[in-house]
Amino acid sequence: MRLDKYLKVSRLIKRRTVAQEACDNGKVMINSKVAKPSSNVKEGDIIEITFGEKIIKVEVIKIAEHTLKQDASDLYKIL
């Protein structure tokens, strides 16, 4: 699955366009490498997102095309 879509589906970032901008600005990394919006995400990957001063680090647990709001946090584990 594309990184920008995964960030939206998992609700780590609310909109896909915002996820694309974050990737383009180098604020998202997969396995310690700067990622493009089109980068593939697979189970076991470590994603780091920089929100200003705050860095969120998560491990991809599951990939789903669609998910309900209450089930979105099941797609990742915060490290």
Side-chain angles (χ1 to χ4, degrees), residues 33-52:
K33 295 178 185 166
V34 176
K36 294 181 179 180
S38 60
S39 299
N40 274 337
V41 175
K42 54 192 177 303
E43 294 176 6
D45 282 348
I46 305 294
I47 300 175
E48 292 180 47
I49 308 167
T50 304
F51 294 108

Side-chain angles (χ1 to χ4, degrees), residues 41-70:
V41 175
K42 54 192 177 303
E43 294 176 6
D45 282 348
I46 305 294
I47 300 175
E48 292 180 47
I49 308 167
T50 304
F51 294 108
E53 302 275 321
K54 187 177 176 185
I55 296 176
I56 294 177
K57 195 172 187 181
V58 297
E59 179 181 356
V60 178
I61 302 289
K62 190 167 73 172
I63 298 202
E65 289 293 321
H66 305 286
T67 185
L68 298 174
K69 187 175 183 178
Q70 61 266 24

Side-chain angles (χ1 to χ4, degrees), residues 1-51:
M1 174 182 282
R2 286 176 55 106
L3 175 59
D4 56 347
K5 184 169 183 182
Y6 180 80
L7 292 173
K8 179 198 168 279
V9 169
S10 65
R11 291 174 172 75
L12 288 166
I13 296 180
K14 290 187 180 188
R15 290 185 202 86
R16 191 164 174 181
T17 53
V18 175
Q20 287 173 339
E21 288 174 11
C23 293
D24 289 337
N25 292 330
K27 296 187 183 275
V28 181
M29 296 171 56
I30 297 178
N31 299 327
S32 301
K33 295 178 185 166
V34 176
K36 294 181 179 180
S38 60
S39 299
N40 274 337
V41 175
K42 54 192 177 303
E43 294 176 6
D45 282 348
I46 305 294
I47 300 175
E48 292 180 47
I49 308 167
T50 304
F51 294 108

